[in-house]
Amino acid sequence: MKIISSSGKGNFKLIKNDDEVCELVYTNWFSEKAKAVLNGNNIEIKPKNIWTSKVDIFKNKSQIGDITFNLKGHMVIRLEKENGKEFNYLLKNKAKWKLRFEVFNESEAHQFSLNSVNKWTKLNYDYDVEMADYNSEFEIEELLIYCGYAANLYLAIISAV
């Protein structure tokens, strides 16, 4: 699978076997609001406050989680199932020169990696998804939408520092 930038404002497409699964579209460049439709579900991601320190995740208008930046410099993706069970994922940049985000579950098991395939001449960020031991109650495509958004947010946060 791949995450391919579809515009300079952060939009990206999730590609599986050369077919487009879905596209995350930022509705407003400055507010960081984004929307996608995956398997008939409307997904909306929007900042909780003006500083974008916490971002809420909605699925079919119900809040199912959030994304935050922790003190260790990792993105924390918290998701909740309908039964109230909570799951946490960490998105960590594990490379110095080229972006390589690794995603871990709350048991610290490596789930997958987002490996940057960018050239220095291109401003957008594309990633190849390298699977590890993925064992989540969430579809991989859904979690990849949240991780792609979190990677964009991570880059925005560290570039502002």
Side-chain angles (χ1 to χ4, degrees):
M1 281 201 282
K2 298 178 181 191
I3 293 175
I4 306 292
S5 293
S6 56
S7 82
K9 66 178 186 176
N11 298 355
F12 62 84
K13 294 180 180 181
L14 184 57
I15 307 293
K16 184 177 183 180
N17 301 327
D18 295 325
D19 293 324
E20 183 180 324
V21 175
C22 70
E23 182 176 15
L24 182 87
V25 177
Y26 285 80
T27 57
N28 183 327
W29 173 252
F30 297 106
S31 72
E32 298 287 332
K33 289 182 185 177
K35 292 183 179 184
V37 176
L38 177 66
N39 300 328
N41 294 302
N42 292 312
I43 295 171
E44 187 175 5
I45 306 171
K46 56 185 176 181
K48 182 144 183 104
N49 57 41
I50 194 169
W51 301 279
T52 319
S53 59
K54 184 175 182 182
V55 178
D56 290 332
I57 300 171
F58 296 87
K59 187 174 179 180
N60 299 324
K61 299 189 179 191
S62 295
Q63 185 174 357
I64 63 158
D66 53 54
I67 301 170
T68 56
F69 192 76
N70 73 12
L71 296 175
K72 294 181 179 181
H74 306 139
M75 302 305 294
V76 179
I77 302 166
R78 184 190 64 80
L79 299 172
E80 193 174 303
K81 292 298 269 187
E82 292 173 1
N83 63 7
K85 190 171 180 186
E86 189 175 293
F87 298 88
N88 290 294
Y89 300 91
L90 278 180
L91 180 103
K92 302 177 182 181
N93 184 16
K94 299 296 263 184
K96 291 193 185 275
W97 304 112
K98 198 171 187 180
L99 290 174
R100 176 183 168 84
F101 291 104
E102 293 184 356
V103 177
F104 298 87
N105 66 12
E106 51 203 11
S107 301
E108 298 184 22
H110 184 213
Q111 300 296 291
F112 56 86
S113 299
L114 303 178
N115 301 317
S116 175
V117 292
N118 292 342
K119 297 183 173 120
W120 68 272
T121 56
K122 188 178 177 194
L123 295 176
N124 297 336
Y125 291 97
D126 298 343
Y127 301 96
D128 282 335
V129 178
E130 181 182 309
M131 297 305 293
D133 187 23
Y134 188 73
N135 58 357
S136 174
E137 291 194 31
F138 294 89
E139 293 178 27
I140 182 68
E141 293 85 0
E142 183 178 357
L143 189 54
L144 280 170
I145 290 170
Y146 308 140
C147 289
Y149 182 96
N152 283 349
L153 183 58
Y154 174 86
L155 293 171
I157 290 170
I158 64 165
S159 67
V161 176

